[in-house]
Each structure stands twice: as C-alpha cells, then as structure tokens.
Amino acid sequence: MPFGQAVLTIDLGAIVANWRALRERHGGPVAAVLKADAYGLGAGRVGQALAAAGCDAFFVAQRAEGLALRAAVGSAPLIAVLDGFAPGADGLAALIPVLNRLEDCAAHAGRPAILHLDTGMARLGLSPAEQDRLAADATMRAGLRLTYVMTHLACADTPDHPLNGLQAARFDAAAARLAPGVPRSLANSSGIFLGAAFRSDLARPGAALFGLNPTPGAANPMRPVVRLRAPILQVRDLPAGGTVGYGADWTAPRASRIATVAAGYADGYLRAAAGRATATLAGRTVALVGRVSMDLLTFDVTDTAAQPGDWMELIGPDHPPDTLAAAAGTIGYEVLVRLGSRYRRDYTPA
Ligand SMILES: *Cc1c(COP(=O)(O)O)cnc(C)c1O
C-alpha cells in the first residue's frame, strides 16, 4: 500500500500575475490584503513575492500578523493593521494603525495612520455619528496624520446592489469633509470590477489575488493559484448494494470501485461537501461518495483505471476553491483559510 501526504501547490507567479491584472483593471495603485496568513496561503512567502514585484502596501487584520509580515518583507512597504492597535508597544512603529473609532484618533494623534469611515458596513470604522463629532472637533482633526482615508464595500460582489453607489457617494462626501486632500482607499477585489466610480488611490484586494472569482456569476478573470492533490491509498471493489463510510450514507447502485484518498475535514476539506463534490483523476471527473472523514475521502472510480498511488486532484483549475465551496454551501474564502497544516506545501516561484 502506498503511503502518502497530500500536496498543496501555491503558485506565487499566478498571485503576482493576478496582482498585476488587478492593477491594470483598477487603473491605479493596488495594495495586497494578506490577513489570516494571506487567506491561508502563507503571508511571508506571498508578501515577499508581491513586494519583489513592486507591491508597496499591505493590509493585515491583526498586529501580530503585521509584525510577522514586516519581518518577511523588510522595512520599505507600508503595512496597515485593519483592526488597529493600542499605541506604545514594542515594534509597532513599523506598522500603520487603521483608526476605527474616535478614541483611536486621539490615541494615535501625531502618528501616521489610516482613517476608516463606515459608509454602510456597520462593522468597523467611524460611524456616521462619530464622523459628525470628528467634523466638529478641529483639534482632533488637526492631530491626524493620515496616510489614507478608507471605507469598505458591503455588496461589491453584487454589482447592481444599490448600496454600492450609495457607499461610494457617502465616502466621497465624508472624505471631503473630514480628510480633504488625503489619498483614498475604496475597492476590495470585487469593487475593482465595479467601474470608474469605485477607483481610488489604493485598492485593497485579497481574494482575487488568490484566484477566487471577484465577479460571481461571470467567468473568473483571475489565474488559478491553488492546486491540492492527494494520493489514493487503496482501491476496492464493492458489490451493488454495498455501502461506504460512516453512517453507511452511500449505497453502490451497481458493482463499483471505490478509491480512498488521504485527506479529510482535518485538512479543511469541508464535511458539508459530502454528496456534492467532485475531483479530477487523470483528467476525468469523479464523484465524492460517502461522508467526509477526518483524514480520508472516498470517490467512485468505477469507470476509471484508478490505482493505489495515483493522484486525485481535489482543488485545481478543473475544481476551483469556489466550486468546492459551493458544494459545501460556503464561499471560496472559507475553503482557502481552512486549508490545514498537514499538507506538504510547494511554492511555485514567481
Ligand atoms: C478583507 C478585506 C479586504 C479584502 O477583501 P477581498 O474581498 O478579499 O478582496 C479589503 N478591505 C477590508 C477592510 C477587508 O476587511
């Protein structure tokens, strides 16, 4: 019996190509959002590849992510922390806080920072009431040293949603009132595809860099980045009426061959994908059958020449993360960030 570890291949060249394509499409500067370890793909490696290609601004969610990324990319690029951080701790001079509340504006007075205005997300950023208070407080405004003023779109992946235009208009007005002359940052991945009204001085894509489709419902304009292959450990014959896996959930409708593959929900292969997901074996599409186990998957390979040791492609150009996500009732973002630590990770150089 072959033993094997699944292999996750991350194409740094495709990430760089996607960043360049987004810059072209945006018609202006483009940062890279590398929160959650670059959506699970490795912020250090991804950051180094993008910095070498000329990306000079990065966003992370948390302070510790920012410090780790700083160590990887060197001192030149801007690294902003979306959740903000308290002033004063060691090493924080290397990072730019995003100011999400009036208290943050006071705490970081005199230091470079990014002002986040909430225009309809109701998540982070100064609320409309706080924006009014900042407008009325000339002293606090004078203390701000803003690198950018930003907002975040709630519905960018739904191009005809009325909130998109409303947020762009609110941002225009609020930025002119509170931060006149300060460079602006607006679009995420999908926002870049909404047109000229969503252009700004710094777009902030994450997902599209990693090959997820920023234009759901239309063809994916991005290059695939992630390929996940796992070895077949065993192939067995099953008579018609035989069942597979926990709960005996799947019953063979005919005499079948079943391939057992070395990956499972502990590796982020979502359990909810059972009964719907497919994979690629030697160019053919095969169906996942039975439940997803912690470490094992079972596929119906009846009409193939599958052998132990063959490689099953679980994610790749034919089975993008968005498709696996749809099978599990979630989005590609969640598939990427859950890719576990058990895979061998191969990085294709940029
Ligand atoms: C996550 C995030 C982004 C990137 O969004 P994508 O949809 O992955 O492009 C941009 N801005 C903010 C504030 C975010 O939280």
Side-chain angles (χ1 to χ4, degrees), residues 309-348:
D310 288 352
W311 289 87
M312 189 75 77
E313 187 156 288
L314 303 173
I315 296 176
D318 296 332
H319 287 89
D322 291 315
T323 304
L324 178 58
T330 184
I331 55 175
Y333 295 65
E334 193 177 8
V335 167
L336 292 189
V337 299
R338 284 174 183 273
L339 293 169
S341 54
R342 264 197 314 193
Y343 302 124
R344 192 180 96 211
R345 287 185 173 223
D346 283 353
Y347 287 89
T348 310

Side-chain angles (χ1 to χ4, degrees), residues 44-140:
R45 297 297 297 266
V46 171
Q48 284 165 357
L50 286 169
C55 180
D56 60 4
F58 296 100
F59 287 80
V60 294
Q62 301 179 4
R63 192 177 60 102
E65 295 176 337
L67 293 173
L69 183 61
R70 176 61 73 204
V73 299
S75 60
L78 176 154
I79 300 178
V81 178
L82 290 165
D83 291 358
F85 51 79
D90 280 355
L92 297 188
L95 306 176
I96 303 263
V98 172
L99 310 176
N100 290 309
R101 309 168 303 162
L102 279 181
E103 295 91 311
D104 301 338
C105 297
H108 290 281
R111 299 191 55 231
I114 294 175
L115 179 63
H116 185 181
L117 305 175
D118 177 24
T119 57
M121 187 71 155
R123 204 176 61 167
L124 289 177
L126 269 64
S127 67
E130 284 182 299
Q131 292 172 29
D132 287 343
R133 279 168 37 216
L134 182 58
D137 190 337
T139 311
M140 187 175 285

Side-chain angles (χ1 to χ4, degrees), residues 111-292:
R111 299 191 55 231
I114 294 175
L115 179 63
H116 185 181
L117 305 175
D118 177 24
T119 57
M121 187 71 155
R123 204 176 61 167
L124 289 177
L126 269 64
S127 67
E130 284 182 299
Q131 292 172 29
D132 287 343
R133 279 168 37 216
L134 182 58
D137 190 337
T139 311
M140 187 175 285
R141 270 187 289 122
L144 295 175
R145 269 182 65 200
L146 297 180
T147 313
Y148 290 95
V149 57
M150 65 172 271
T151 197
H152 191 42
L153 298 168
C155 304
D157 58 353
T158 311
D160 50 8
H161 198 293
L163 191 51
N164 291 325
L166 203 54
Q167 283 195 269
R170 286 174 181 159
F171 183 48
D172 244 8
R177 178 163 76 135
L178 299 173
V182 173
R184 297 180 186 182
S185 176
L186 174 57
N188 63 345
S189 296
S190 294
I192 290 172
F193 293 82
L194 290 178
F198 297 83
R199 189 167 300 146
S200 70
D201 302 300
L202 191 66
R204 303 185 312 275
L209 294 172
F210 309 119
L212 300 184
N213 187 357
T215 58
N220 188 352
M222 312 317 298
R223 263 174 64 175
V225 167
V226 173
R227 190 165 176 229
L228 175 59
R229 296 179 311 141
I232 296 177
L233 299 177
Q234 289 193 26
V235 178
R236 73 186 56 241
D237 293 315
L238 195 68
T243 62
V244 172
Y246 286 123
D249 262 8
W250 187 80
T251 304
R254 56 176 174 160
S256 301
R257 294 178 76 228
I258 302 297
T260 302
V261 166
Y265 64 76
D267 306 296
Y269 196 97
L270 298 165
R271 191 171 174 278
R276 281 180 291 271
T278 55
T280 306
L281 177 68
R284 300 181 62 161
T285 299
V286 296
L288 177 71
V289 295
R291 288 193 191 162
V292 173

